[in-house]
């Protein structure tokens, strides 16, 4: 593919040492012998130039392609905004697949099941992650018409998807990621809830149970609820809702799996109900999609949006607005530039034009503003921040609709009815985990608190790097508390909350995920969800001592506070579980 020539006066890119490693290993294009054939600078230019070149499709564009390419280059290399990994890897290359998130249907026939396995393999090869609902599959042991035999059920097919994923490495570096969903009223639900009981089973899958509102009401009223055969819609049996809910809680306590999603709430926000129901999300849960739909994501690094004013630090709203508008244009162009492994996906994506703009560096922003993550003021700012980004992204989407036309299915979307829009995109906001993007940008990931202030990071292939949060180090210096001895202690403990010799302000602001009460984790997720079209990727971290009762409460809180799903992780639960099993034998 031809990419616009790199201007001679293009500024160089500054890379932190982790970013240098990650980019070299995974993102910079490689020759046949595996060595990079482009520098990091050339990589960012390849992405900027090929995404900007989409302007040529729109004669009414107010930008000159060359200028916009430079602007996009600056946007990324200042680490104000980064598009999702597949865009960085594949923009301007032969592969050209730029989206991170896909959902594929799994129909109840051998043909359809193995079609889905094949399509997933193609998507994994191109760097995307896939989500599936297995709810349409007939339950285990039900009759198979053509052979007179019995069906093996969703869980046995899940294993086939898992094995296929294991074998397809993405560009030789990372394995694919999957989400597997089963509705709580599927007859095989109990087996599904237990499917990851043994460590290592279904290791390429995150599992989530799709909870209906009817089910949640049955839990609340301590009633039974029906399990329904997907084909005949017959009631097969009834279960006590509370017992199922408690089993879910127990399994999450033991191993963190499965998670839960609130499927009715997700469908209430489905912008295109005429195209069918949403039945699954992408692998990390932040992007609900229709079958055969894909979505590209991008994240703004909030750590970069502060301003010194009157001796204090404030959020730089004006610059943030500018970056939101540019990012929406960038992501809109990504839709046009991207090629998909299936014609059906191309059609669905081009019809709905979903994008998912989100944030990273949230914890770093709070550090700079001196706001503890677990404080009312941080929650208020989270709502204000996402409300702002949501409104500005919609305003940018509206402007693009005027320039380029609304998304083709706008007329049949809920926006038409609500008299909103016309927009260029069926959705504009999603909060991704930003696992790799945050390493590249050198910021805290997504809307998560920091895991530790100073720690040893296992990067890839066993390589290790020591890392200290730069805002923390600066604060220590500013307050005259910095010493090598202290840093060694922080590496050991990961947290300063209980270091009483440090000033109170430092101890309350520089919190880490384990310092934070689980309820604050959840409140933060809910605050961001309030103004996010799609969903929010967040893990509610619990200490090892947390009880099942604690998880029960978190699940209810997630339901009541309007979250679209929830993932919990109890510190060290996996090894404890192994120990327990060992003792039981
Ligand atoms: P990144 O930082 O690499 O852009 P994120 O951690 O934000 O990615 O994840 C966003 C989405 O990208 C995930 O929900 C998933 O859909 C996809 N994804 C992440 N990791 C993988 C992987 N190893 N294989 C396939 N898809 C992935």
């Amino acid at each position: 593919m031809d990419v616009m020539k790199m201007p001679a006066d293009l500024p160089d890119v500054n890379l932190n040492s982790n970013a240098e490693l990650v980019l070299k290993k995974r993102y910079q294009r490689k020759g046949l012998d595996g060595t990079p054939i482009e520098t990091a600078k050339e990589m960012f230019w390849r992405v900027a130039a090929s995404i900007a070149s989409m302007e040529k499709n729109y004669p009414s564009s107010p930008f000159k392609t060359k200028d916009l390419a430079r602007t996009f280059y600056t946007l990324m290399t200042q680490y104000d905004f980064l598009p999702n990994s597949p865009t960085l890897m594949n923009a301007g290359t032969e592969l050209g697949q730029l989206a991170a998130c896909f959902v594929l249907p799994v129909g109840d026939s051998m043909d359809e099941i193995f079609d889905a396995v094949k399509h997933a393999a193609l998507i994994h090869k191109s760097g995307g992650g896939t989500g599936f609902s297995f709810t349409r599959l007939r339950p285990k042991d039900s009759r198979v018409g053509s052979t007179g035999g019995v069906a093996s059920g969703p869980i046995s097919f899940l294993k086939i998807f898992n094995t296929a994923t294991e074998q397809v490495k993405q560009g030789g570096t990372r394995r694919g990621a999957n989400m597997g969903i089963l509705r709580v009223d599927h007859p095989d639900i109990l087996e599904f809830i237990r499917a990851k009981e043994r460590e290592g089973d279904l290791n390429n899958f995150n599992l989530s149970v799709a909870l209906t509102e009817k089910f949640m009401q049955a839990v609340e009223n301590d009633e039974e609820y029906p399990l329904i055969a997907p084909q005949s819609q017959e009631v097969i049996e009834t279960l006590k809702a509370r017992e199922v809910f408690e089993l879910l809680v127990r399994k999450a306590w033991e191993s963190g799996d499965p998670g839960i999603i609130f499927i009715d709430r997700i469908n209430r926000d489905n912008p295109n109900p005429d195209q069918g129901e949403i039945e699954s999300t992408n692998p990390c849960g932040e992007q609900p999609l229709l079958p055969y739909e894909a979505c590209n994501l991008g994240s703004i690094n909030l750590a970069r949006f502060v301003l010194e004013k009157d001796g204090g630090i404030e959020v730089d709203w004006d610059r943030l607005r500018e970056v939101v508008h540019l990012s929406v244009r960038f992501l809109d162009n990504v839709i046009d530039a991207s090629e998909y492994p299936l014609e059906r996906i191309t059609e669905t994506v081009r019809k709905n034009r979903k994008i998912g703009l989100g944030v990273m560096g949230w914890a770093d922003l709070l550090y700079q503003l001196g706001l503890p993550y677990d404080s009312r003021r941080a929650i208020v700012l989270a709502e204000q921040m996402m409300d702002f980004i949501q409104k500005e992204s919609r305003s940018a989407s509206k402007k693009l609709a005027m320039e380029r036309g609304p998304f083709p299915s706008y007329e049949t979307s809920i926006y038409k009815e609500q008299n909103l829009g016309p927009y260029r995109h069926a959705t504009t906001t999603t909060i991704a985990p930003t696992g790799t993007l945050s390493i590249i940008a050198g910021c805290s990931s997504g809307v998560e608190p920091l895991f530790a202030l100073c720690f040893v990071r296992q990067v890839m292939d066993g390589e290790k790097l020591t890392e200290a949060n730069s805002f923390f180090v600066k604060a220590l210096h500013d307050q005259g508390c910095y010493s090598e001895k202290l840093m060694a202690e922080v590496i050991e403990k990961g947290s300063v909350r209980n270091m009483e010799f440090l000033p109170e302000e430092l101890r309350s602001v520089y919190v880490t995920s384990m310092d934070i009460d689980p309820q604050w984790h959840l409140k933060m997720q809910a605050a961001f969800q309030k103004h996010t079209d799609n969903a929010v990727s967040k893990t509610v971290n619990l200490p090892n001592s947390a009880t099942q009762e604690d998880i029960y409460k978190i699940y209810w809180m997630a339901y009541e506070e309007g979250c679209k799903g929830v993932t919990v992780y109890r510190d060290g639960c996996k090894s404890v579980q192994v120990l327990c099993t060992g003792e039981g034998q």
Side-chain angles (χ1 to χ4, degrees):
M1 266 187 90
D2 280 346
V3 172
M4 205 189 314
K5 205 168 167 290
M6 192 162 82
D9 62 344
L10 198 68
D12 281 338
V13 41
N14 280 319
L15 291 176
N16 70 65
S17 52
N18 288 337
E20 200 177 320
L21 209 69
V22 172
L23 290 181
K24 209 171 263 165
K25 284 210 167 155
R26 275 197 200 153
Y27 293 71
Q28 288 161 234
R29 296 180 67 194
K30 296 190 183 62
L32 289 177
D33 64 351
T35 52
I37 54 167
E38 66 180 2
T39 61
K41 182 178 178 181
E42 285 163 342
M43 179 208 86
F44 281 115
W45 177 252
R46 164 173 57 77
V47 179
S50 57
I51 300 304
S53 75
M54 292 299 117
E55 297 292 313
K56 67 176 183 293
N57 301 331
Y58 306 103
S60 55
S61 166
F63 288 94
K64 279 207 185 102
T65 302
K66 226 172 79 200
D67 298 341
L68 191 62
R70 230 177 217 280
T71 307
F72 283 165
Y73 177 84
T74 310
L75 186 71
M76 289 187 285
T77 53
Q78 285 187 351
Y79 305 114
D80 285 341
F81 161 88
L82 287 174
N84 58 204
S85 290
T87 302
L88 291 175
M89 291 168 178
N90 304 333
T93 73
E94 289 296 325
L95 190 53
Q97 196 298 99
L98 310 183
C101 314
F102 292 78
V103 165
L104 291 171
V106 185
D108 186 46
S109 69
M110 280 299 170
D111 266 2
E112 290 167 291
I113 291 169
F114 283 90
D115 272 351
V117 172
K118 174 183 163 188
H119 296 156
L122 294 175
I123 291 169
H124 291 166
K125 229 177 99 181
S126 74
T130 41
F132 320 84
S133 168
F134 290 85
T135 305
R136 273 196 288 273
L137 299 192
R138 74 193 69 184
K140 190 175 178 173
D141 296 336
S142 45
R143 289 263 146 230
V144 178
S146 57
T147 61
V150 291
S152 14
I155 289 80
S156 73
F157 285 115
L158 249 167
K159 291 177 188 156
I160 296 175
F161 282 75
N162 190 64
T163 308
T165 304
E166 189 78 24
Q167 306 312 327
V168 184
K169 279 203 176 173
Q170 299 172 339
T173 44
R174 65 177 190 177
R175 221 167 264 146
N178 299 292
M179 171 63 87
I181 302 268
L182 200 70
R183 268 173 74 103
V184 71
D185 51 11
H186 188 283
D188 289 358
I189 192 63
L190 295 178
E191 191 189 353
F192 182 82
I193 295 174
R194 295 196 173 103
K196 290 193 72 167
E197 233 165 22
R198 278 192 327 190
E199 212 165 330
D201 277 358
L202 296 177
N203 56 326
N204 299 310
F205 266 87
N206 291 322
L207 297 185
S208 274
V209 176
L211 302 182
T212 59
E213 260 150 37
K214 244 167 120 180
F215 171 80
M216 292 305 281
Q217 277 153 18
V219 175
E220 194 162 16
N221 303 332
D222 198 9
E223 288 165 357
E224 302 212 327
Y225 80 102
L227 299 187
I228 298 163
Q231 272 63 43
S232 61
Q233 292 291 305
E234 264 173 67
V235 174
I236 303 284
E237 62 174 307
T238 57
L239 293 178
K240 282 191 143 196
R242 236 176 235 186
E243 281 178 10
V244 173
F245 197 74
E246 279 163 9
L247 180 64
L248 270 171
V249 166
R250 186 160 86 239
K251 290 297 141 197
W253 183 85
E254 283 172 2
S255 68
D257 262 303
I260 54 176
I261 61 168
F262 299 114
I263 197 69
D264 294 333
R265 182 169 290 154
I266 285 175
N267 273 292
R268 263 202 300 278
D269 284 353
N270 177 1
N272 308 98
D274 62 305
Q275 291 175 35
E277 269 183 41
I278 293 179
E279 51 181 31
S280 180
T281 68
N282 69 332
C284 304
E286 72 275 13
Q287 188 62 51
L289 291 170
L290 292 163
Y292 292 117
E293 198 169 26
C295 182
N296 73 88
L297 312 178
S299 301
I300 292 178
N301 173 10
L302 293 178
R304 297 258 316 136
F305 293 85
V306 291
L307 184 73
E308 267 183 54
K309 203 171 167 190
D310 307 329
I313 304 275
E314 285 181 10
V315 175
D316 189 346
W317 298 104
D318 287 339
R319 212 169 71 78
L320 183 58
R321 177 183 298 112
E322 217 175 284
V323 165
V324 169
H325 281 250
L326 268 175
S327 306
V328 169
R329 179 175 288 274
F330 188 109
L331 297 176
D332 189 55
N333 285 9
V334 171
I335 301 176
D336 294 344
S338 184
E339 288 174 36
Y340 304 95
L342 280 182
E343 189 46 39
R344 192 75 197 266
I345 297 178
T346 310
E347 276 167 26
T348 318
V349 171
R350 301 254 155 104
K351 201 155 66 179
N352 301 333
R353 304 191 70 87
K354 283 184 182 167
I355 56 170
L357 180 63
V359 298
M360 55 184 167
W362 170 241
D364 285 336
L365 177 71
L366 293 179
Y367 284 169
Q368 292 174 85
L369 296 172
L371 293 180
Y373 191 99
D374 48 349
S375 70
R376 188 70 218 138
R377 285 171 63 207
I379 301 290
V380 170
L381 182 66
E383 280 191 25
Q384 189 189 359
M385 177 63 75
M386 211 50 216
D387 187 28
F388 182 86
I389 293 173
Q390 173 82 307
K391 284 197 176 119
E392 291 302 331
S393 68
R394 287 203 171 151
S395 135
S397 183
K398 240 179 206 176
K399 277 191 199 149
L400 281 172
M402 279 177 1
E403 186 186 313
R404 305 174 168 187
F407 63 96
S409 64
Y410 166 72
E411 287 294 326
T412 50
S413 75
I414 55 170
Y415 303 116
K416 173 79 179 175
E417 220 171 85
Q418 295 167 358
N419 237 345
L420 295 169
Y423 295 121
R424 177 78 176 153
H425 313 97
T427 67
T428 57
T429 46
T430 302
I431 299 186
T434 70
T436 323
L437 296 190
S438 62
I439 298 178
I440 299 172
C443 64
S444 60
S445 56
V447 294
E448 297 288 0
L450 243 69
F451 193 72
L453 290 163
C454 191
F455 62 101
V456 181
R457 192 198 283 271
Q458 187 111 16
V459 186
M460 271 174 292
D461 300 344
E463 273 179 77
K464 290 179 178 174
L465 288 165
T466 302
E467 251 179 78
N469 180 272
S470 60
F471 302 109
F472 171 62
V473 173
K474 181 172 181 300
L476 286 179
H477 279 297
D478 286 351
Q479 307 228 10
C481 307
Y482 186 88
S483 74
E484 292 290 326
K485 185 169 159 276
L486 175 66
M487 292 311 280
E489 211 176 324
V490 178
I491 290 188
E492 199 190 309
K493 300 219 166 83
S495 155
V496 294
R497 198 151 255 199
N498 298 321
M499 296 187 178
E500 284 178 10
F501 54 89
L502 288 177
E504 166 59 30
E505 200 200 322
L506 268 176
R507 289 166 49 213
S508 65
V509 169
Y510 289 91
V511 276
T512 59
S513 54
M514 278 305 156
D515 298 326
I516 294 169
D517 186 288
Q519 299 210 6
W520 285 108
H521 278 278
L522 202 280
K523 279 183 198 164
M524 194 56 87
Q525 180 181 336
F528 276 100
Q529 181 62 71
K530 215 174 196 172
H531 303 288
T532 302
D533 282 336
N534 296 299
V536 178
S537 166
K538 174 94 187 72
T539 301
V540 174
N541 283 103
L542 298 138
N544 186 262
S545 59
T547 61
Q548 292 182 39
E549 183 73 28
D550 293 332
I551 294 181
Y552 197 109
K553 275 196 204 134
I554 288 295
Y555 277 14
W556 266 107
M557 215 174 131
Y559 179 57
E560 283 171 349
E561 299 259 341
C563 296
K564 290 192 174 165
V566 59
T567 307
V568 299
Y569 187 75
R570 189 170 62 92
D571 189 33
C573 66
K574 294 223 162 133
S575 46
V576 169
Q577 188 200 349
V578 171
L579 208 70
C580 292
T581 327
E583 277 170 1
Q585 279 168 353

